[in-house]
Amino acid sequence: MAEARPKRDFTDLAPWIYTITLFALWEAASRGLSLPVYILPAPSVVAQSIVDYWPAIWKNSLQTLYTTLVGFALAVAGGLALGLLVGWSRFIYKGLYPLMIGFNAVPKVAVVPILVIWFGIGTVPAILTAFLIAFFPIVVNVATGLATIEPEMEDVLRALGAKKLDIMLKVGIPRSMPYFFGSLKIAITLAFVGSVISETVAANSGLGHMMLAAQSQFNVPLVFAGLVMLAIEGIVMYALMAWLEMRMTGWAHRSGMNRQ
Amino acid sequence: MTNPSAVPMVGIENVDMRYGGAEGTLAVSGLTMAVKKGEFAAVVGPSGCGKSTLMKLVTGLYIPQTGTVSVAGERVTEPVSIVGMAFQNPTMLPWRTTLDNILLPLEIVEKHRGRIRTHRKEYAEKAEHLLETVGLKGFGSKYPWQLSGGMQQRASLCRALIHEPDLLMLDEPFGALDAFTREELWCVIRDLHFSTDVTVVLVTHDLREAVFLADRIFVMSARPGKIITEREVHFPRPRDLEIMFEAEFTDVVHDLRGHIATARAQQAEAV
Ligand SMILES: Nc1ncnc2c1ncn2[C@@H]1O[C@H](COP(=O)(O)OP(=O)(O)OP(=O)(O)O)[C@@H](O)[C@H]1O
Ligand SMILES: [Mg+2]
């Protein structure tokens, strides 16, 4: 869409303006109030810490990104499959619904000890925690997309002799795709939550582990450095998912399907 | 076997249809009607009397508890694919272009689904031709959400017609349109019916629409619906929109209005 822009629009710059302002205020506050570095280190101190500890930070960032992405990939595959299954039949939906609610209600941090008993400390529990926490929104969204097919559309097809599979393939699955891609943004964010929780509780590497170790040594700038790296990874992955959503199901935005 | 031309295109005999089990809503009761081959039939009646139910019975989406429904002499026990349907809501799929939406029935109907891949070009040409007849020439590549409501409704008519159904079922397809677009589409349907031997059943709230288009008008009672009056309309074809201003036309409309008023009054008494 080529819109005529008569004068320079600052809206595109707004995210940068706000971010820079936030860091500037933070810097000013910690200097002006001369807060001790173990309470709130200034951004400049945190940046210095990132430089100083870069090899460790880089290694642990990659580890966290790896466990998160593997868990996320499993959640996408599993969530899509279960979502389609749940949306397919009311019987499966009715039967699984309470189970899924109960499962989702359990705080995932409580599951980590069990995962450690089964798989030991390390990468596997982190991947599985990320998977468990990211899985649910995908299932719910895919199932919702399937369950909200307009009855009239179904009638048009059924009257032509369409079988359940036809309706799913022609209407249900394409229709649930915007819901699916929309849920990826939430799922990737949650996957980070899952992997970091698990790394904090039971791991020898990853940003969660690094931050816990830094905290026990009162290395507060390094704790914040870990936070910043998590934020960066989270934003990048979120942006990637948002881009993917736009690419794959732009029609849903333009047609206003999700705005109803 | 009797004379085939005597077999009605749509035959409904003594049909009861109840939704949702024994305690559910009795939508139609003792419904009996027949529509001849090639005829244009209209069904009018008070809101909620079971007109849409009637459509779904004929297309085989629902099977009645008692009585029989037959299409082209065959008893309806499952959806019949010789029927094309269009509703008040155009229900186009937003991720398909208008052309692909129109081709959708061909991907379903048994007769065509094996051929659509290999003969796509030929079918697309047919769809383009249909688009032209409804005044949407060149809009096939647009997405439905790029079309106005009236244009979407025209496209949904094309979709109902693409597999050359013998029977076209229209459930208030013009209800949501403005008066001018509606009259334009009346003419489209009129010409379509005139130039082919398709049988049409049109459900409508608009009595003028019914009288202008139909050869035969069925008036339904309030729920549970049954046919209380059936009348033939003898204006010669092809009909011009001008006939709506003739006294004879107005008389028929008034007469129908009277029947519906009575049906609604009886409903009010019953409540
Ligand atoms: N799927 C359904 N389940 C239960 N009851 C239904 C269902 N569909 C329709 N009904 C009931 O059957 C009756 C007839 O409905 P129907 O949709 O056939 O009416 P209608 O004549 O088409 O009404 P309108 O003119 O408002 O479109 C109504 O009382 C309605 O509540
Ligand atoms: Mg209706």
Side-chain angles (χ1 to χ4, degrees), chain A residues 82-115:
Chain A
L82 190 66
L84 291 177
L85 201 66
V86 167
W88 178 274
S89 109
R90 278 208 63 75
F91 185 74
I92 301 176
Y93 176 81
K94 279 256 174 190
L96 281 183
Y97 193 70
L99 281 178
M100 291 200 307
I101 294 293
F103 168 80
N104 190 48
V106 172
K108 297 303 170 293
V109 65
V111 183
V112 177
I114 300 171
L115 294 177

Side-chain angles (χ1 to χ4, degrees), chain B residues 150-165:
Chain B
M151 290 157 97
Q152 287 188 36
Q153 200 59 54
R154 289 163 208 247
S156 113
L157 269 180
C158 295
R159 186 181 61 191
L161 290 165
I162 187 75
H163 61 296
E164 293 176 359

Side-chain angles (χ1 to χ4, degrees), chain B residues 19 25 27 46-53 62 172 205 223:
Chain B
Y19 285 107
T25 318
S47 187
C49 70
K51 300 185 293 295
S52 298
T53 306
Y62 291 120
E172 296 184 38
H205 276 134
R223 192 174 63 84

Side-chain angles (χ1 to χ4, degrees), chain A residues 129-143:
Chain A
T129 315
F131 161 73
L132 287 175
I133 203 166
F135 167 77
F136 194 73
I138 300 179
V139 176
V140 171
N141 270 275
V142 172

Side-chain angles (χ1 to χ4, degrees), chain B residues 185-261:
Chain B
L185 285 183
W186 290 351
C187 295
V188 168
I189 283 286
R190 172 199 66 189
D191 297 342
L192 238 155
H193 174 250
F194 191 70
S195 60
T196 60
D197 44 14
V198 65
T199 310
V200 184
V201 179
L202 167 76
V203 163
T204 176
H205 276 134
D206 186 338
L207 297 178
R208 290 165 67 245
E209 176 175 311
V211 179
F212 174 66
L213 286 169
D215 302 311
R216 185 182 297 279
I217 299 178
F218 298 91
V219 181
M220 281 177 83
S221 70
R223 192 174 63 84
K226 59 174 178 297
I227 305 299
I228 47 172
T229 316
E230 176 182 335
R231 77 167 287 167
E232 292 186 43
V233 183
H234 288 297
F235 301 117
R237 290 182 183 276
R239 295 173 188 167
D240 192 273
L241 282 171
E242 293 299 315
I243 69 162
M244 288 194 284
F245 302 101
E246 284 169 19
E248 250 181 296
F249 186 95
T250 321
D251 287 346
V252 181
V253 172
H254 270 152
D255 178 49
L256 287 170
R257 180 173 304 258
H259 285 296
I260 291 184

Side-chain angles (χ1 to χ4, degrees), chain A residues 152-153 158-159 166 170 174 255, chain B residues 79 89 91 95 107 113 145:
Chain A
E152 291 195 333
M153 191 65 229
R158 281 211 303 131
D166 291 319
K170 303 288 178 201
S255 70
Chain B
N89 177 352
T91 61
W95 57 88
E107 295 168 24
R113 63 187 301 165
W145 37 270

Side-chain angles (χ1 to χ4, degrees), chain A residues 21-32:
Chain A
T21 311
L22 174 74
F23 278 96
L25 284 177
W26 178 2
E27 184 79 38
S30 50
R31 277 173 195 243

Side-chain angles (χ1 to χ4, degrees), chain A residues 25-202:
Chain A
L25 284 177
W26 178 2
E27 184 79 38
S30 50
R31 277 173 195 243
L33 304 173
S34 52
L35 288 173
V37 90
Y38 54 85
I39 304 276
L40 183 67
S44 54
V45 179
V46 174
Q48 184 59 46
S49 175
I50 292 180
V51 173
D52 291 347
Y53 294 94
W54 181 248
I57 289 175
W58 179 241
K59 184 182 125 259
N60 287 310
S61 296
L62 285 183
Q63 167 69 15
T64 299
L65 191 63
Y66 165 71
T67 52
T68 303
L69 287 184
V70 175
F72 175 71
L74 291 176
V76 168
L80 198 55
L82 190 66
L84 291 177
L85 201 66
V86 167
W88 178 274
S89 109
R90 278 208 63 75
F91 185 74
I92 301 176
Y93 176 81
K94 279 256 174 190
L96 281 183
Y97 193 70
L99 281 178
M100 291 200 307
I101 294 293
F103 168 80
N104 190 48
V106 172
K108 297 303 170 293
V109 65
V111 183
V112 177
I114 300 171
L115 294 177
V116 171
I117 293 173
W118 289 344
F119 302 104
I121 281 179
T123 307
V124 179
I127 289 175
L128 288 180
T129 315
F131 161 73
L132 287 175
I133 203 166
F135 167 77
F136 194 73
I138 300 179
V139 176
V140 171
N141 270 275
V142 172
T144 306
L146 291 180
T148 50
I149 297 176
E150 295 86 348
E152 291 195 333
M153 191 65 229
E154 214 174 322
D155 283 351
V156 169
L157 294 186
R158 281 211 303 131
L160 295 166
K163 300 284 174 288
K164 182 101 185 170
L165 184 65
D166 291 319
I167 294 175
M168 279 293 163
L169 289 177
K170 303 288 178 201
V171 186
I173 293 175
R175 205 195 129 74
S176 65
M177 282 304 108
Y179 294 86
F180 167 68
F181 283 105
S183 73
L184 294 188
K185 288 184 295 192
I186 307 165
I188 188 71
T189 319
L190 288 176
F192 273 108
V193 173
S195 58
V196 173
I197 283 178
S198 180
E199 284 168 3
T200 315
V201 178

